Amino acid sequence: MGRITEDLIRRNSEHNDCVIFSLEELSLHQQEIERLEHIDKWCRDLKILYLQNNLIGKIENVSKLKKLEYLNLALNNIEKIENLEGCEGLTKLDLTVNFIGELSSVKTLQHNIHLKELFLMGNPCADFDGYRQFVVATLQQLKWLDGKEIERSERIQAWQNFPVIEQQVREQEAAYCLKRAQDKEEAQRKLREEEENEAKERSRSGSEGQSPFSVGNDDHVLAPEGQEGVYNQKKFKDNVDDLEFWNKPSLFTPESRLETLRHMEKQRKDQEKLSGKKKKVKPPRILITEDGKALNVNEPKYMDTSLIDVDVQPTYVRVMVKGKPFQLVLPAEVKPDSSSAKRSQTTGHLVICMPKVDGIITGWRQTSESRTSPSDSSRERTNQRSKQIEKLEVDPGKHSFPDVAHIVREKTPTPRRVQSEPKVTPCGEDPDFEDNPEVPPLI
């Protein structure tokens, strides 16, 4: 049997980043919930609440949900409409296929002045004579009932015949309540008989039966063939009991739904016990070998931001998602302190930026044999520095080995060319030129 827990609500609020106090929509359908609890304390801002196909027997603990607009309680065990007066913003209520027999309990919805749609089909009260007229005349704010629009003429006619219709409904309610009380007593009697029979069967099997590994009169352990025979007999008996249970006629009551659920739960437990199936504990994933070598690992399947832990190391990066590792070996050494991790809110992509350490040479980038001129090498270094983002090449099939032969490249000095300056020769044609023999020549 399920219960409403904080973990259950948080697991169903991933669309709100697992934050429950600001939830506006919550779906808890098909969780085998028996009681409606805690939601009014943890999720005050709810506008839409889905609780269909559970085992809820009473409407409770929702009166503080002032902003609630739509409440779906279809396919539950509810027998009375109550405790919804505090839901001031309620506009739509779905109670399809429940066990509501007190049709007069719809009067409690008169306080929900914004209620426009109501679904009661599939309930015992929907079979009462005058059911629709009674609901239409009682809830004047209602616009739709069971998916059918309420016409103005229909409402006027329901008001005119309301005294007669109300008397009919009261009589049918009394008859239903009497029959319902008898069904409850019969269900309790059957439950006591089943518990007594199970107790007798357990005591009989404990005193007379022997386990497959017990020692018999001949002081020999039961053979494997005997164990398989006992298992097959037990399985056959369970199949017969199961077939008998499903072929047995039963009433459509909350007790019958609970009985069906208990039978299915018991059948599941017996099957696990007979088959001896146990959950296999997976060995811990090896992330780093004994010799200190990191491995590439990808185990998580779904990433949730609140459950992601990123760990950047100089030679590898590890992302833990719900306890499952995603580890990637890097082909070059990076700076963990300068790394950053960001995730897109639209696509969900996780981007980890890890700057490389200067001076790392990867093996698959082969150096050319021909020497380049100093101007070409300086131009290449300038182009490399102009790149702001440098992505690592992650390829496990390639291994990086430093090129020892070219780690330090010797620079050969280039001889400086001494250019001879042109000799200044006097020009005889210059009219201002005077050749003074006492002045030494210019060098």
Side-chain angles (χ1 to χ4, degrees):
M1 303 296 181
R3 294 192 62 182
I4 298 178
T5 61
E6 182 179 353
D7 180 65
L8 178 63
I9 297 178
R10 202 173 293 278
R11 281 189 282 109
N12 288 273
S13 59
E14 293 182 347
H15 60 283
N16 199 43
D17 295 333
C18 296
V19 180
I20 64 176
F21 72 90
S22 61
L23 267 180
E24 294 186 356
E25 181 176 344
L26 178 61
S27 179
L28 297 176
H29 62 283
Q30 295 181 351
Q31 298 290 337
E32 299 181 358
I33 299 171
E34 289 190 85
R35 186 181 177 187
L36 192 53
E37 54 187 351
H38 304 310
I39 295 181
D40 58 336
K41 299 178 182 178
W42 297 340
C43 312
R44 291 287 186 89
D45 295 337
L46 273 181
K47 293 183 179 180
I48 300 175
L49 179 57
Y50 296 99
L51 289 166
Q52 66 269 26
N53 202 0
N54 282 292
L55 300 169
I56 300 173
K58 183 179 181 180
I59 304 176
E60 57 185 346
N61 298 322
V62 292
S63 59
K64 296 181 181 179
L65 302 178
K66 306 296 182 182
K67 301 180 182 180
L68 188 63
E69 299 177 1
Y70 176 34
L71 177 60
N72 192 331
L73 285 167
L75 291 167
N76 278 279
N77 293 345
I78 298 172
E79 300 188 52
K80 184 179 180 180
I81 303 175
E82 55 187 343
N83 300 324
L84 290 173
E85 296 84 356
C87 302
E88 300 174 356
L90 189 64
T91 59
K92 183 177 180 180
L93 177 62
D94 193 345
L95 294 170
T96 305
V97 190
N98 277 273
F99 299 93
I100 300 174
E102 298 183 29
L103 185 57
S104 58
S105 62
V106 299
K107 291 184 177 181
T108 60
L109 297 176
Q110 292 176 346
H111 302 280
N112 305 98
I113 59 176
H114 299 289
L115 185 64
K116 303 301 179 184
E117 294 184 65
L118 178 64
F119 291 87
L120 289 172
M121 63 181 71
N123 287 274
C125 64
D127 297 331
F128 291 175
D129 294 335
Y131 147 75
R132 185 175 176 87
Q133 293 88 339
F134 181 84
V135 177
V136 170
T138 303
L139 303 178
Q140 301 180 12
Q141 76 276 25
L142 209 62
K143 301 297 182 182
W144 297 77
L145 178 60
D146 295 334
K148 183 179 179 181
E149 187 177 2
I150 301 174
E151 301 290 343
R152 189 169 183 270
S153 58
E154 182 183 6
R155 192 181 301 277
I156 294 174
Q157 187 177 2
W159 287 342
Q160 293 175 350
N161 301 330
F162 184 72
V164 178
I165 294 172
E166 185 179 16
Q167 182 64 28
Q168 294 178 353
V169 169
R170 294 289 184 182
E171 294 176 357
Q172 294 174 88
E173 275 186 359
Y176 173 80
C177 291
L178 181 61
K179 181 178 180 299
R180 182 76 185 92
Q182 296 175 356
D183 293 340
K184 285 183 179 180
E185 292 180 0
E186 182 68 17
Q188 291 177 359
R189 185 185 62 82
K190 289 183 178 180
L191 182 60
R192 288 194 297 268
E193 289 180 356
E194 290 179 0
E195 291 177 352
E196 291 176 358
N197 293 334
E198 289 179 359
K200 291 180 180 179
E201 186 176 354
R202 284 195 299 267
S203 60
R204 187 184 304 110
S205 61
S207 60
E208 298 179 0
Q210 292 181 344
S211 65
F213 300 98
S214 60
V215 180
N217 296 330
D218 52 354
D219 296 335
H220 289 285
V221 180
L222 192 62
E225 292 80 2
Q227 297 176 17
E228 186 176 358
V230 172
Y231 173 80
N232 292 334
Q233 291 178 3
K234 180 67 175 176
K235 187 176 181 181
F236 177 76
K237 183 178 181 300
D238 291 341
N239 291 336
V240 172
D241 295 341
D242 183 63
L243 186 62
E244 181 181 357
F245 174 82
W246 292 112
N247 290 334
K248 180 178 63 177
S250 62
L251 300 174
F252 182 63
T253 60
E255 291 77 17
S256 64
R257 287 195 67 194
L258 292 174
E259 182 184 4
T260 302
L261 184 64
R262 285 195 300 268
H263 176 77
M264 295 174 64
E265 187 73 13
K266 179 178 177 296
Q267 185 181 16
R268 183 182 63 82
K269 290 182 179 180
D270 292 344
Q271 186 69 20
E272 291 180 355
K273 185 178 179 181
L274 287 175
S275 59
K277 290 183 179 179
K278 296 181 179 179
K279 293 184 179 180
K280 297 181 179 179
V281 180
K282 294 183 179 180
R285 181 74 67 176
I286 299 176
L287 302 177
I288 300 177
T289 60
E290 296 179 355
D291 55 353
K293 181 181 178 182
L295 303 176
N296 289 329
V297 180
N298 184 9
E299 190 173 352
K301 296 181 180 179
Y302 178 77
M303 289 189 178
D304 184 65
T305 306
S306 61
L307 302 175
I308 292 179
D309 183 19
V310 181
D311 182 19
V312 179
Q313 296 295 331
T315 58
Y316 66 91
V317 59
R318 181 185 301 166
V319 181
M320 299 295 294
V321 182
K322 295 184 179 180
K324 296 182 178 181
F326 171 77
Q327 182 169 290
L328 199 62
V329 180
L330 305 177
E333 188 175 354
V334 298
K335 299 178 180 179
D337 297 338
S338 304
S339 302
S340 63
K342 296 181 181 180
R343 192 181 185 195
S344 173
Q345 295 182 354
T346 56
T347 61
H349 293 168
L350 179 66
V351 180
I352 304 176
C353 298
M354 298 170 288
K356 290 173 59 176
V357 177
D358 296 335
I360 296 299
I361 301 175
T362 55
W364 57 85
R365 296 180 180 175
Q366 299 178 356
T367 58
S368 59
E369 295 295 334
S370 61
R371 294 181 179 271
T372 58
S373 63
S375 60
D376 295 340
S377 61
S378 62
R379 189 181 301 107
E380 290 178 0
R381 287 195 297 270
T382 304
N383 295 335
Q384 290 178 359
R385 284 195 299 268
S386 64
K387 296 180 181 179
Q388 298 180 355
I389 300 176
E390 183 176 7
K391 297 183 179 179
L392 298 177
E393 297 180 9
V394 180
D395 189 354
K398 299 179 180 180
H399 303 279
S400 59
F401 296 96
D403 192 356
V404 182
H406 298 87
I407 288 181
V408 179
R409 183 175 296 174
E410 296 181 357
K411 296 183 179 179
T412 57
T414 58
R416 300 180 62 182
R417 297 181 180 178
V418 180
Q419 297 179 357
S420 60
E421 297 181 358
K423 295 181 178 180
V424 180
T425 57
C427 183
E429 298 178 356
D430 191 354
D432 296 332
F433 174 74
E434 293 181 2
D435 190 7
N436 190 350
E438 295 182 359
V439 177
L442 296 177
I443 298 176

